[in-house]
Amino acid sequence: GNNRSLADSPAAVLEINLTEPVEKSEPELPIFLDNGTSYEPPTEATIVCVPDIPPTILIEGTEYGALHDNFDSWETALLETNEDEALQIGKLVHIEDPDFVEPSAHTIPEEVDYLIVNVSAEVGALVMGSRLPPGLPLRVLDTAHSLVLRGGLNDVNVALETIEYRPEQDWNGVDLIIVRVWDNHGGHHERRMQVVVRAQPDPVNII
């Protein structure tokens, strides 16, 4: 006993969440029904473009400030050591990315999310520890003053925990460490750590 006609049907509203803008395509109208009549539904398509949430670098347990005017105080962490003592800086650095999707067995290779992380020091050396889990799917570019990591969010954070900063031998002053991260959707973030390297008296050899 429902005598409503198709013309009385409410408009269909489609909402599509996208990470990138797309061109809206119009449906082929009119729609031909089985009885030979045609009907054009009042369809409204609402396309909502959801921007990518960029990754964020967190530096835990450090105080913030600026030793020099050319550094952003709220983005610069202050650390301290002496010329003979290495710093486990990786244990302080952690990356968050709320919309990162870790790959699964059903993920298409072309759609796998990944991060690229660069950690660099101006003077001291950066060394990645040897205690990384075996088979960790991570690509690493290692030079004396720079490390580049590429992989999933969890893998990158595991690798970051092993990074050690070693001051230049017989050098003291203020070194700068920069941590940069990019995701495969164009998001990026950068944080800085200033390391105050204090002079350490050398032992006196009495002959």
Side-chain angles (χ1 to χ4, degrees):
N2 189 353
N3 295 324
R4 291 182 60 190
S5 65
L6 288 175
D8 296 329
S9 300
V13 179
L14 308 177
E15 185 170 311
I16 307 170
N17 291 329
L18 303 171
T19 57
E20 297 180 1
V22 299
E23 296 181 0
K24 184 176 71 175
S25 60
E26 298 294 338
E28 295 183 2
L29 299 175
I31 299 174
F32 291 94
L33 306 179
D34 292 339
N35 59 6
T37 60
S38 63
Y39 167 62
E40 294 189 22
T43 302
E44 298 176 2
T46 302
I47 299 179
V48 180
C49 294
V50 179
D52 172 62
I53 302 175
T56 303
I57 302 167
L58 304 179
I59 301 178
E60 303 173 359
T62 59
E63 59 178 307
Y64 297 88
L67 297 181
H68 304 292
D69 293 336
N70 59 333
F71 291 111
D72 297 328
S73 60
W74 69 277
E75 282 288 337
T76 303
L78 298 181
L79 305 173
E80 186 174 345
T81 187
N82 64 65
E83 61 183 270
D84 296 330
E85 184 179 356
L87 277 178
Q88 300 291 332
I89 63 169
K91 292 185 177 297
L92 306 176
V93 180
H94 184 79
I95 295 176
E96 291 187 353
D97 194 344
D99 60 356
F100 188 93
V101 179
E102 292 287 353
S104 67
H106 306 289
T107 306
I108 301 174
E110 291 77 11
E111 297 180 355
V112 172
D113 281 346
Y114 62 87
L115 298 176
I116 296 176
V117 179
N118 173 230
V119 185
S120 62
E122 288 189 343
V123 182
L126 296 170
V127 179
M128 180 170 291
S130 58
R131 58 185 184 277
L132 288 176
L136 191 68
L138 188 75
R139 297 181 183 178
V140 180
L141 175 63
D142 186 353
T143 64
H145 303 283
S146 181
L147 294 171
V148 178
L149 315 176
R150 182 188 187 278
L153 179 61
N154 292 335
D155 293 345
V156 165
N157 278 320
V158 169
L160 281 174
E161 289 183 0
T162 72
I163 295 179
E164 182 178 86
Y165 168 81
R166 297 178 183 176
E168 184 80 7
Q169 186 176 7
D170 296 326
W171 179 88
N172 60 84
V174 180
D175 202 353
L176 175 64
I177 298 175
I178 302 178
V179 184
R180 303 179 178 92
V181 59
W182 299 265
D183 65 20
N184 57 311
H185 300 292
H188 61 89
H189 190 219
E190 175 181 312
R191 290 294 300 273
R192 298 177 176 189
M193 292 182 281
Q194 285 179 305
V195 182
V196 180
V197 180
R198 306 293 185 188
Q200 182 75 0
D202 293 328
V204 179
N205 296 323
I206 300 176
I207 300 177

